């Protein structure tokens, strides 16, 4: 059975199935609603139900309190319709955002490569090309013996790569999904994924210098964005500060060195935080935020900053950028987080980061 979902202030009406969440219906119609954890825990996707009835699903009583339910609020990632409904959502206008409906894709793994001792690159040839903005991510369905689970991974390839997508996947200790990918996934396996998702993309219309700060497997989105920018002939200065613990964990290092050699407007700054003191590493030793502070002499004014990496790295980078007089309107962070991380999700009041 299906119902009518109207989204205000857009005034747009679409069809929604009775077992479909408000968020899924909106994204598949190409309508972006604010969201983060997708597990009913962080409250980023809270909307006001103006007309109709919904089932609140698995919404946490802390993210959606009883008095809010009484006031007609719900979480779009959990709520399912029980009648035709009208909701009001806080939707920001983004001139650089493309309207790309979320779709399901099937594909075949062409190869699995070890990038570091803990990160593998998975290449999937899709049955048809996926249109996306550099910086977005997909939800990958992982077939496990006990049932299929879904995990989110950033697209590491630029949009120009045709119908082959690349996912850089770090193994999570005890993680069933990443464990299967690292130990069992091989070329020839059939997989399905949905996308593109996310509001992490370059604000090209700003025509300002860009600073990318990444750590660990958080390099995926910045790599896609930077390659896309350079392919497009962008002339604004681009700086990538990328951090890992040691040299054997620093992947795509040679590619970025080569890009920096070919493009005068691109600067690459690798930083190692735990490299042995007696090694031959002659690059920066320390953390990403420390390397960025050194590169810019502590002054980040005029930059657009894009952050992607572990939560502790993100927090340290935000602090450093703000100390260097760069503030919320010019700082952007990838939004998707796991169910385990969702309890620590940053308040939706702090929109960009």
């Amino acid at each position: 059975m299906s119902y009518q979902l109207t989204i205000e202030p857009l005034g747009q009406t679409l069809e929604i199935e009775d077992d479909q969440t408000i968020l899924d219906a909106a994204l598949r119609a190409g309508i972006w609603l604010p969201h983060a954890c997708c597990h009913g825990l962080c409250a980023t996707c809270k909307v006001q139900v103006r007309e109709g009835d919904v089932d609140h699903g698995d919404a946490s009583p802390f993210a959606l309190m009883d008095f809010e339910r009484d006031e007609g609020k719900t979480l779009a990632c959990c709520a399912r319709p029980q009648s035709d409904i009208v909701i009001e959502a806080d939707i920001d206008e983004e001139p650089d955002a493309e309207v790309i409906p979320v779709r399901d894709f099937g594909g075949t793994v062409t190869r699995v490569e070890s990038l570091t001792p803990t990160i593998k690159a998975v290449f999937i040839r899709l049955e048809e090309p996926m249109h996306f903005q550099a910086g977005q991510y997909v939800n990958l369905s992982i077939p496990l013996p006990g049932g299929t689970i879904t995990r989110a991974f950033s697209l590491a390839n630029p949009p120009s790569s045709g119908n082959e997508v690349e996912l850089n996947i770090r193994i999570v200790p005890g993680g069933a999904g990443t464990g299967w990918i690292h130990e069992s996934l091989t070329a020839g396996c059939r997989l399905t994924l949905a996308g593109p998702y996310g509001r992490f993309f370059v604000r090209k219309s700003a025509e300002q210098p860009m600073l990318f700060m990444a750590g660990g497997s958080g390099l995926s989105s910045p790599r896609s964005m930077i390659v896309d920018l350079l392919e497009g002939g962008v002339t604004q200065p681009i700086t990538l500060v990328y951090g890992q613990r040691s040299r054997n964990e620093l992947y795509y290092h040679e590619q970025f060195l080569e890009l920096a050699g070919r493009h005068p407007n691109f600067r690459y700054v690798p930083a190692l935080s735990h490299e042995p003191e007696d090694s031959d590493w002659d690059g920066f030793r320390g953390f990403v935020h420390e390397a960025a502070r050194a590169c810019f002499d502590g002054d980040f004014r005029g930059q657009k900053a894009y952050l992607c990496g572990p939560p502790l790295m993100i927090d340290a980078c935000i602090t450093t950028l703000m100390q260097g007089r760069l503030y919320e309107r010019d700082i952007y962070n990838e939004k998707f987080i796991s169910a385990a991380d969702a309890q620590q999700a940053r308040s939706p009041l702090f929109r960009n980061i």
Side-chain angles (χ1 to χ4, degrees):
M1 184 175 181
S2 63
Y3 298 105
Q4 296 295 304
L5 166 63
T6 301
I7 301 174
E8 299 293 356
L10 301 178
Q12 189 161 342
T13 299
L14 53 112
E15 192 170 279
I16 179 173
E17 300 298 325
D18 57 3
D19 62 347
Q20 188 177 25
T21 67
I22 291 172
L23 179 62
D24 184 67
L27 294 177
R28 288 181 180 274
I31 301 171
W32 184 84
L33 296 181
H35 62 281
C37 78
C38 296
H39 298 288
L41 298 172
C42 73
T44 305
C45 65
K46 193 175 294 180
V47 297
Q48 180 73 46
V49 180
R50 293 299 183 191
E51 296 179 21
D53 300 307
V54 300
D55 178 349
H56 297 293
D58 295 328
S60 162
F62 299 101
L64 186 66
M65 297 184 182
D66 288 341
F67 78 88
E68 293 179 304
R69 298 172 193 236
D70 293 339
E71 292 175 350
K73 293 183 173 62
T74 195
L75 302 185
C77 74
C78 296
R80 290 175 169 81
Q82 295 185 314
S83 67
D84 291 345
I85 53 176
V86 177
I87 66 166
E88 185 173 342
D90 188 5
I91 303 175
D92 291 332
E93 290 290 334
E94 288 279 5
D96 292 293
E98 292 187 40
V99 178
I100 308 174
V102 168
R103 297 174 53 204
D104 297 313
F105 295 84
T108 302
V109 176
T110 55
R111 62 191 190 278
V112 180
E113 299 178 356
S114 292
L115 298 176
T116 78
T118 60
I119 300 173
K120 288 187 181 292
V122 177
F123 296 85
I124 306 170
R125 183 166 294 280
L126 304 178
E127 293 167 355
E128 56 181 310
M130 174 189 290
H131 177 58
F132 67 95
Q133 282 189 273
Q136 292 189 292
Y137 69 94
V138 297
N139 282 336
L140 179 69
S141 295
I142 303 172
L144 300 180
T148 300
I149 62 174
T150 301
R151 294 292 182 267
F153 300 108
S154 295
L155 291 155
N157 56 289
S160 63
S161 61
N163 64 338
E164 185 173 73
V165 298
E166 177 185 351
L167 310 177
N168 297 161
I169 300 173
R170 179 179 65 87
I171 189 168
V172 177
T178 60
W180 181 85
I181 289 169
H182 275 249
E183 297 163 11
S184 303
L185 185 63
T186 59
C189 286
R190 293 275 304 163
L191 292 174
T192 60
L193 54 87
Y197 292 96
R199 203 71 162 176
F200 193 52
F201 55 86
V202 177
R203 275 62 180 179
K204 295 179 181 179
S205 64
E207 297 185 346
Q208 293 176 231
M210 290 158 277
L211 168 60
F212 294 87
M213 304 171 76
S217 58
L219 181 64
S220 299
S221 290
R223 177 176 179 249
S224 174
M225 298 157 97
I226 290 167
V227 173
D228 182 54
L229 288 167
L230 296 177
E231 285 181 349
V234 167
T235 57
Q236 283 78 31
I238 302 169
T239 301
L240 168 64
V241 183
Y242 173 48
Q244 280 281 21
R245 291 177 57 86
S246 58
R247 178 63 185 89
N248 69 335
E249 296 175 316
L250 196 67
Y251 69 102
Y252 288 129
H253 177 63
E254 287 74 19
Q255 181 189 48
F256 286 119
L257 289 175
E258 189 270 335
L259 287 173
R262 284 197 292 118
H263 299 275
N265 62 320
F266 175 55
R267 175 171 54 166
Y268 169 52
V269 183
L272 301 181
S273 60
H274 292 76
E275 178 70 2
E277 293 184 4
D278 59 354
S279 77
D280 61 356
W281 175 252
D282 59 358
F284 189 89
R285 291 176 181 267
F287 295 100
V288 171
H289 65 284
E290 296 169 334
R293 183 189 294 120
C295 285
F296 288 85
D297 197 26
D299 186 351
F300 300 101
R301 287 174 294 180
Q303 300 287 323
K304 284 284 188 184
Y306 301 89
L307 318 181
C308 196
L312 288 177
M313 185 215 89
I314 297 294
D315 288 343
C317 289
I318 291 170
T319 299
T320 299
L321 290 170
M322 288 189 164
Q323 289 172 344
R325 302 181 70 180
L326 192 71
Y327 302 112
E328 180 194 351
R329 68 179 183 181
D330 292 316
I331 304 175
Y332 303 91
N333 177 221
E334 199 159 28
K335 288 289 190 180
F336 72 81
I337 52 180
S338 70
D341 292 334
Q343 298 284 9
Q344 303 175 24
R346 186 172 296 275
S347 167
L349 296 177
F350 205 43
R351 296 192 178 281
N352 294 339
I353 56 180

